[in-house]
Amino acid sequence: MVRRQTDDAVRITSATRSHSDDIGTRQRRYLISMGLRTLCFVLAVVFMGHWVMWVFLVASFVLPSIAVVIANAGASPDPGGGPEPFLGATDRRGLEGPPAS
């Protein structure tokens, strides 16, 4: 009978976020920043001729570069350095096979 050597169990709660979750979070941050940029541009048009127009106009030109940097920041790394092995049970007996004849 050949026994397979298996890896230790890993706690799923300490695993990193999935790639699709990370991409979704980045997209949300970028879309929020671009929404703010659009709002600043519209407000610059609304306040045309007033000094506030320049504040909104500058913000609408600066926000795209800030949005890209924030979106590419990604998730923060795990403080533990990755998944932790599960050390719950010290006795690791498997199911016993049929009795030998």
Side-chain angles (χ1 to χ4, degrees), residues 10-81:
V10 176
R11 289 182 189 204
I12 193 65
T13 56
S14 64
T16 59
R17 272 195 291 181
S18 69
H19 182 66
S20 61
D21 286 343
D22 187 40
I23 295 290
T25 303
R26 290 180 188 206
Q27 286 176 343
R28 264 189 304 276
R29 281 187 276 180
Y30 184 76
L31 289 175
I32 288 169
S33 299
M34 287 295 104
L36 283 173
R37 178 201 183 206
T38 304
L39 179 65
C40 284
F41 187 77
V42 168
L43 288 173
V45 171
V46 168
F47 287 104
M48 192 171 288
H50 198 269
W51 67 271
V52 181
M53 172 193 76
W54 295 107
V55 174
F56 289 128
L57 199 60
V58 167
S60 69
F61 284 119
V62 172
L63 276 174
S65 58
I66 293 172
V68 169
V69 170
I70 290 173
N72 287 334
S76 60
D78 288 338

Side-chain angles (χ1 to χ4, degrees), residues 4-10 85-86 92:
R4 292 187 206 171
Q5 185 173 353
T6 60
D7 294 334
D8 292 334
V10 176
F86 180 70
R92 294 203 170 176

